[in-house]
Amino acid sequence: MKNLFTLKDGRIVTCADNEANIRVFIAPDIDEKKEIIQQFGIDDNDLDFALDPDEVSRVEFMQKCTSIIWKKPYSPSVGVESNFEVSTVGFFISRDVLVIVMSEQSSILSEKIFERVNSINDVMLRFFLYTIRQYSNNLKKIKQLTSKIESNLVTSMENKYFLQMFDISERLVYYINAIEGNSAVLTKLR
């Protein structure tokens, strides 16, 4: 599915094909993949990487476009408990057009965080900030969940090593979050 947007008065608005400088493809079919490859010079392997949930985050500066593979928390349907998995999103910048490729439906560009954006770079940075906030919120949920599990373990059996393992895993999650947050800050400053 293809969604077309442009920047107008600091906002992202839907538009016609000839005005679009932001193109979002959700689970693109074969014809849409051909369009992305032919119109924007995006390598077919990079396009596949953007849809692969196991792909590693990275940025590549190529002759025809810049590609960014970004990991974001999976967004379950309303009312469905999150399973704390991640999905992959591809950002491709080619000739002042931002092509976003993702495997799952998302209304993320309609979020309030995308107000007062003036360039496609602003859109990408806001997307990155939005996903960092999603990770942070999920980490809070994980902490609440582990606290609940720990209290159930304490009442059901005494196993101090098991509780220590929970404590260590909880700390590691926060360390990872801190490192990733610092990395995002350094990247933004650069």
Side-chain angles (χ1 to χ4, degrees):
M1 180 171 71
K2 175 171 63 170
N3 297 302
L4 305 171
F5 302 96
T6 191
L7 297 171
K8 185 175 184 180
D9 299 325
R11 304 195 87 203
I12 299 171
V13 295
T14 58
C15 66
D17 194 12
N18 61 340
E19 301 172 327
N21 62 345
I22 302 171
R23 296 167 181 266
V24 180
F25 291 87
I26 298 155
D29 60 24
I30 293 172
D31 292 332
E32 290 171 334
K33 286 182 179 182
K34 285 180 185 176
E35 175 185 341
I36 294 168
I37 292 166
Q38 291 171 353
Q39 275 191 342
F40 304 104
I42 297 167
D43 184 79
D44 57 341
N45 287 326
D46 289 331
L47 184 56
D48 289 339
F49 295 151
L51 298 168
D52 183 353
D54 296 324
E55 195 58 40
V56 176
S57 299
R58 67 179 174 282
V59 61
E60 294 178 1
F61 301 99
M62 297 171 286
Q63 189 174 12
K64 292 184 180 180
C65 76
T66 299
S67 72
I68 300 169
I69 304 298
W70 183 258
K71 304 300 275 189
K72 76 174 212 57
Y74 174 73
S75 301
S77 304
V78 175
V80 175
E81 185 66 28
S82 177
N83 55 7
F84 305 113
E85 292 185 15
V86 294
S87 63
T88 305
V89 179
F91 294 88
F92 304 96
I93 305 167
S94 175
R95 300 184 314 266
D96 297 326
V97 174
L98 173 61
V99 177
I100 302 173
V101 179
M102 57 181 76
S103 59
E104 65 181 56
Q105 179 64 35
S106 177
S107 60
I108 192 169
L109 294 180
S110 63
E111 296 285 337
K112 185 173 174 69
I113 194 169
F114 289 96
E115 293 178 0
R116 296 186 310 240
V117 291
N118 298 309
S119 70
I120 57 176
N121 289 337
D122 286 349
V123 172
M124 284 190 315
L125 289 174
R126 296 285 176 95
F127 189 98
F128 298 160
L129 176 61
Y130 182 83
T131 58
I132 289 168
R133 287 180 179 168
Q134 281 184 304
Y135 279 119
S136 181
N137 288 336
N138 284 354
L139 287 171
K140 288 177 187 175
K141 291 177 187 175
I142 290 170
K143 181 173 173 43
Q144 292 170 348
L145 185 60
T146 57
S147 293
K148 183 178 177 183
I149 292 170
E150 284 177 13
S151 67
N152 288 341
L153 282 171
V154 168
T155 59
S156 66
M157 69 175 124
E158 292 292 327
N159 191 337
K160 65 180 182 179
Y161 298 111
F162 198 49
L163 293 174
Q164 288 173 349
M165 185 64 97
F166 271 116
D167 185 53
I168 290 168
S169 68
E170 184 176 336
R171 290 173 193 262
L172 286 175
V173 168
Y174 282 100
Y175 278 14
I176 290 168
N177 183 44
I179 291 167
E180 289 177 347
N182 289 344
S183 175
V185 169
L186 290 174
T187 302
K188 188 173 181 179
L189 289 173
R190 187 174 5 146

